[in-house]
Amino acid sequence: MALEKQSRAAFWVTVLPPTLWIAVFFLIPLGIVWAYSFGHNEGLTGVAITGTFDNYIRAFDPLYLQIFGKSIAVAGLTTLLCLIIGFPVALAIVFANEKMRPLLLLLVMLPFWTNLLIRTYALIAVLRTEGFANWTLAWFWNQGSTLAALVGLQPFPAYQPLELLYNNFAVVVGLVYVHLPFMVLPLYAALDRLDKSLMEASLDLGAGHLRTLFSIVVPLALPGIVSGVIITFVPALGAYLTPDLLGGTDSQMIANVIERQFKRANDWPFGAALSFLLMYATFAAIALRAYLTRGQPADGHGI
Amino acid sequence: MDQLAQRTQDAAAHKPIISFRNIVKRFGSMTAVDNVSLDIMPGEFFALLGPSGCGKTTLLRMLAGFEVPTEGSVLIDGQDMGETPPNKRPVNMVFQSYAVFPHMNVADNVAYGLKIDGLPKDEIKARVQEALDLVQLGPLAARKPDQLSGGQRQRVALARALIKRPKVLLLDEPLSALDAKLREAMRFELSQLQQKVGITFIMVTHDQDEALAIASRIAVMHKGAIAQLGTPSDLYEFPASRFVADFIGSVNMFEGTLIKDGADEAVIACPDLAPYSVHLPHSAPGSAGASVWVAIRPEKLNLHKNASEPPAVPDCPPAHNVARGEIKEISYLGDSSIFHVQLSSGQLLRVSRPNRSRYEQEHFGWGDTVWVSWAGSSPVVLLS
């Protein structure tokens, strides 16, 4: 009995603080924001919670729907690019020799340990008009021009720097760069668990590498692919800093609009409603994942 | 040795289906296979037998194309495989883990190889049915692998490999994942299956019982080389080295000196057996004075009740091929009992005795002093 009592005490001691922390700093504020979404501004600072659905109705204005749609498109494109780039990377790490593997995983995770703001500013340095990308292109352009002159051709016209920054292209590049590890790690976990003899069996039965990839590896790694897609898509959909710093006037995403409601527009109830619409979209994505991986054990074995 | 002559003749008549020629395989500084040459004939059930790390699996994977030899060449049906990839080789493999595709049902697993070959649907369907019937899995065609037992999964792997009609079927430790009772049954089924399909089977195993029971010919491997090649009874009754004698079955081994080596008689003095010696009614390898090992199988030893004089052994001078000791332990195995007899030198002898009668007239108990004897034809004399 004493032991049981002791373990019960230990249970509460370990469970209570984090629960309180989550309640006070996450659930309650979230509840307040949720409540705000059913209210309207009163005076300069007050919010009256009246149970109105006006904010949600306003969110379905074509102006905001378009930004929602655009955010989903940008996040979707980001996720697709991450998958296309991340799958071969994960596969390469799984098949790398054992000494190299931890190093390669470290390289994937390294950017995580650098501040997002710093990484984003570094991308600005790469993409801006006089940035490293344009500088490199200009170098090749000028070399080409010199070479052309040498063989007696007309030298090229002066190099026109590409507009790489402050547009949708820059936003997608930034989002792919930031979110790639989110895709690679779950893919790596899923592929690493895969019994290598299944791939060997496929080769042995006459399948080429590509056929083996699509008939055996991809279907068996599906839980990892779905996890990677969700884990990449959700934060990409709510991206704020990347479109803010790298985007142009037409590349704002839904998070930028929400920020504006809370700050410059001082319309907290509408900002709250937009926030919750974003959360519902996230829930839908997670529910979709649960649906797609239903009936499978969590570890991805024995599908 | 008529048998051997016969086999040599057969070998000349047929072309080998598999030829390993001076195969060397190194992984970094480790040599896994060290200059192996081996011919395997069509229709054989061949076993590569050896302890883990002896190179047997590497050899099998070279046939399948998952490993490429560092030196030497692999020929399948006379064709040098070189770096031919696994999917272009006329062999198929049953993997140790069976590697049944978990996301496909039994029929799809079996059909996989034929679908890749692009065969017409009707033919695939007919051949899948045929292959499933062959391994008695017909009624389970729609099951998923996680609804199958280990034995059934192995049958799926067998059907999936055999449906491709390979020239050679490779089996990597085919029975190691099954429980003891099922393993016995599958041994029999595997040899039945091989006779039915008439394809050459090559099996890798570390289980000597399994190899002896199934294979028509066995290569015992040790440290990357072939220690001995022969039929199961060759290996058991005529081991070529202490390693083979010890690895296949169990054996009593004595170190000794060849003191007399005539045309029809040899005598070996073993310190562990003193004051008695080992007598053979035929010549022994090595010359007089050579140091040799004498190996005797436990079932070839006889137990006698204690007496003042050693028992007489037929066709053998007195005080030869006998030993006296005390029973230290008895392992009752049901069909037989193993007696551990300690000699005065301290060496333990294993004596195996079949339990022929349910009521033992001649009882041997713990602590009894007994005589042990053996026929002159029983010992094997080994030089290495």
Side-chain angles (χ1 to χ4, degrees):
Chain A
M1 283 308 274
L3 191 71
E4 197 179 296
K5 241 179 203 163
Q6 218 176 6
S7 66
R8 194 171 293 172
F11 176 78
W12 286 115
V13 164
T14 47
V15 163
L16 217 52
T19 311
L20 278 176
W21 181 274
I22 287 177
V24 171
F25 293 106
F26 180 67
L27 291 177
I28 293 173
L30 203 67
I32 294 171
V33 175
W34 188 66
Y36 276 176
S37 74
F38 299 102
H40 60 83
N41 272 347
E42 215 169 49
L44 259 181
T45 50
V47 174
I49 297 159
T50 53
T52 171
F53 280 90
D54 283 353
N55 295 309
Y56 287 98
I57 293 163
R58 197 176 141 207
F60 282 94
D61 182 286
L63 174 71
Y64 298 108
L65 272 187
Q66 193 213 334
I67 291 175
F68 257 113
K70 185 183 170 122
S71 299
I72 290 169
V74 168
L77 181 63
T78 300
T79 308
L80 185 70
L81 288 172
C82 281
L83 184 62
I84 292 169
I85 300 167
F87 200 89
V89 171
L91 212 54
I93 298 175
V94 168
F95 283 100
N97 80 44
E98 296 199 14
K99 277 181 203 153
M100 287 293 286
R101 228 178 291 165
L103 188 74
L104 291 171
L105 280 175
L106 184 75
L107 284 177
V108 169
M109 284 188 285
L110 208 57
F112 267 146
W113 301 336
T114 316
N115 187 297
L116 175 62
L117 203 58
I118 292 172
R119 277 187 287 156
T120 309
Y121 274 113
L123 260 187
I124 291 177
V126 171
L127 296 177
R128 66 185 167 167
T129 315
E130 305 92 36
F132 297 114
N134 269 319
W135 184 84
T136 309
L137 288 171
W139 187 83
F140 279 110
W141 181 273
N142 292 334
Q143 294 303 311
S145 175
T146 315
L147 207 66
L150 268 177
V151 295
L153 290 170
Q154 196 76 359
F156 303 162
Y159 176 73
Q160 290 298 318
L162 295 174
E163 292 294 334
L164 298 174
L165 197 57
Y166 306 126
N167 52 28
N168 293 330
F169 169 80
V171 174
V172 172
V173 167
L175 287 176
V176 167
Y177 167 60
V178 169
H179 292 95
L180 196 56
F182 291 102
M183 182 63 89
V184 171
L185 295 179
L187 285 180
Y188 169 78
L191 292 172
D192 192 46
R193 271 199 305 260
L194 237 156
D195 182 359
K196 305 288 180 295
S197 62
L198 292 173
M199 298 174 218
E200 287 186 345
S202 170
L203 291 174
D204 185 69
L205 291 166
H209 283 93
L210 217 59
R211 178 80 188 242
T212 300
L213 183 69
F214 286 107
S215 298
I216 307 296
V217 180
V218 169
L220 291 178
L222 204 59
I225 294 172
V226 173
S227 293
V229 164
I230 299 293
I231 294 174
T232 310
F233 182 76
V234 167
L237 186 61
Y240 161 70
L241 193 67
T242 310
D244 193 47
L245 290 179
L246 301 180
T249 45
D250 68 331
S251 14
Q252 56 179 341
M253 288 170 70
I254 194 67
N256 307 100
V257 177
I258 293 170
E259 183 249 12
R260 209 171 326 120
Q261 300 311 316
F262 278 99
K263 287 165 121 184
R264 255 173 291 167
N266 195 22
D267 191 350
W268 285 33
F270 184 54
L274 288 176
S275 300
F276 267 87
L277 282 176
L278 190 59
M279 274 194 71
Y280 298 145
T282 307
F283 290 154
I286 291 167
L288 186 70
R289 171 181 185 244
Y291 175 76
L292 285 177
T293 55
R294 72 196 180 283
Q296 292 165 2
D299 65 359
H301 273 289
I303 296 153
Chain B
M1 289 286 105
D2 280 353
Q3 257 191 321
L4 189 67
Q6 182 63 44
R7 271 208 308 278
T8 320
Q9 231 172 18
D10 286 349
H14 296 106
K15 220 167 49 135
I17 187 86
I18 299 285
S19 279
F20 290 105
R21 296 207 179 141
N22 305 96
I23 297 289
V24 176
K25 178 68 186 181
R26 280 186 278 268
F27 295 105
S29 60
M30 203 268 290
T31 304
V33 177
D34 192 3
N35 197 15
V36 166
S37 293
L38 176 65
D39 282 349
I40 296 169
M41 295 298 147
E44 279 195 282
F45 199 137
F46 195 90
L48 291 162
L49 173 67
S52 60
C54 70
K56 57 189 192 298
T57 303
T58 309
L59 222 46
L60 194 78
R61 290 174 61 83
M62 278 182 202
L63 281 179
F66 297 127
E67 307 284 355
V68 174
T70 314
E71 287 168 31
S73 51
V74 175
L75 277 72
I76 299 178
D77 202 16
Q79 281 205 304
D80 191 337
M81 284 294 121
E83 296 195 9
T84 308
N87 52 338
K88 300 275 192 297
R89 294 189 180 211
V91 299
N92 286 106
M93 184 148 161
V94 173
F95 289 80
Q96 186 170 9
S97 61
Y98 309 142
V100 174
F101 303 132
H103 59 303
M104 298 179 191
N105 68 21
V106 169
D108 287 339
N109 259 286
V110 175
Y112 186 77
L114 297 185
K115 279 184 189 156
I116 284 161
D117 293 347
L119 262 57
K121 274 207 169 118
D122 305 345
E123 193 186 340
I124 293 180
K125 211 176 156 198
R127 274 174 70 176
V128 166
Q129 194 56 50
E130 186 190 339
L132 288 176
D133 289 343
L134 185 70
V135 297
Q136 294 144 39
L137 274 183
L140 304 183
R143 290 258 186 107
K144 282 287 188 79
D146 58 0
Q147 299 166 308
L148 298 178
S149 69
Q152 290 167 335
R153 246 175 278 172
Q154 187 192 39
R155 286 159 196 264
V156 176
L158 275 167
R160 190 178 66 178
L162 285 171
I163 201 170
K164 297 269 293 182
R165 298 179 182 156
K167 287 180 175 162
V168 179
L169 183 74
L170 311 173
L171 301 126
D172 186 7
E173 301 271 7
L175 305 179
S176 64
L178 303 177
D179 60 74
K181 202 86 186 170
L182 192 57
R183 208 179 305 161
E184 292 265 330
M186 280 309 287
R187 278 180 193 171
F188 179 69
E189 273 198 37
L190 268 184
S191 38
Q192 290 280 303
L193 188 64
Q194 196 247 348
Q195 280 162 24
K196 215 186 285 178
V197 297
I199 292 172
T200 312
F201 279 29
I202 302 180
M203 168 176 81
V204 153
T205 181
H206 67 274
D207 182 340
Q208 41 110 358
D209 284 338
E210 197 171 297
L212 293 180
I214 311 176
S216 57
R217 212 153 59 103
I218 301 171
V220 181
M221 294 195 64
H222 182 43
K223 292 181 178 164
I226 293 177
Q228 194 175 351
L229 182 66
T231 63
S233 64
D234 280 351
L235 296 176
Y236 189 80
E237 304 294 359
F238 303 98
S241 64
R242 280 189 298 153
F243 172 78
V244 176
D246 195 42
F247 189 74
I248 304 223
S250 75
V251 75
N252 296 295
M253 196 93 69
F254 309 100
E255 200 170 353
T257 313
L258 193 58
I259 53 174
K260 185 175 175 191
D261 186 25
D264 49 8
E265 186 187 36
V267 177
I268 298 155
C270 301
D272 281 328
L273 296 174
Y276 310 108
S277 313
V278 176
H279 175 269
L280 309 171
H282 52 77
S283 69
S287 49
S291 101
V292 294
W293 282 271
V294 176
I296 312 174
R297 299 286 183 195
E299 75 281 3
K300 294 186 171 66
L301 294 175
N302 306 306
L303 277 186
H304 306 268
K305 291 279 184 192
N306 191 18
S308 54
E309 287 300 310
V313 180
D315 307 321
C316 178
H320 284 77
N321 294 359
V322 290
R324 181 140 79 160
E326 188 191 334
I327 296 178
K328 283 285 176 195
E329 198 177 308
I330 305 171
S331 316
Y332 179 73
L333 301 179
D335 57 342
S336 64
S337 295
I338 308 286
F339 296 81
H340 293 253
V341 178
Q342 189 169 38
L343 307 180
S344 56
S345 65
Q347 171 144 8
L348 276 176
L349 272 184
R350 281 167 67 89
V351 181
S352 156
R353 233 170 147 257
N355 293 323
R356 288 245 177 77
S357 164
R358 293 174 62 206
Y359 307 99
E360 187 69 74
Q361 292 97 343
E362 229 188 344
H363 180 78
F364 292 96
W366 292 58
D368 287 3
T369 299
V370 291
W371 284 99
V372 177
S373 74
W374 57 90
S377 61
S378 296
V380 179
V381 179
L382 302 167
L383 291 173
S384 61

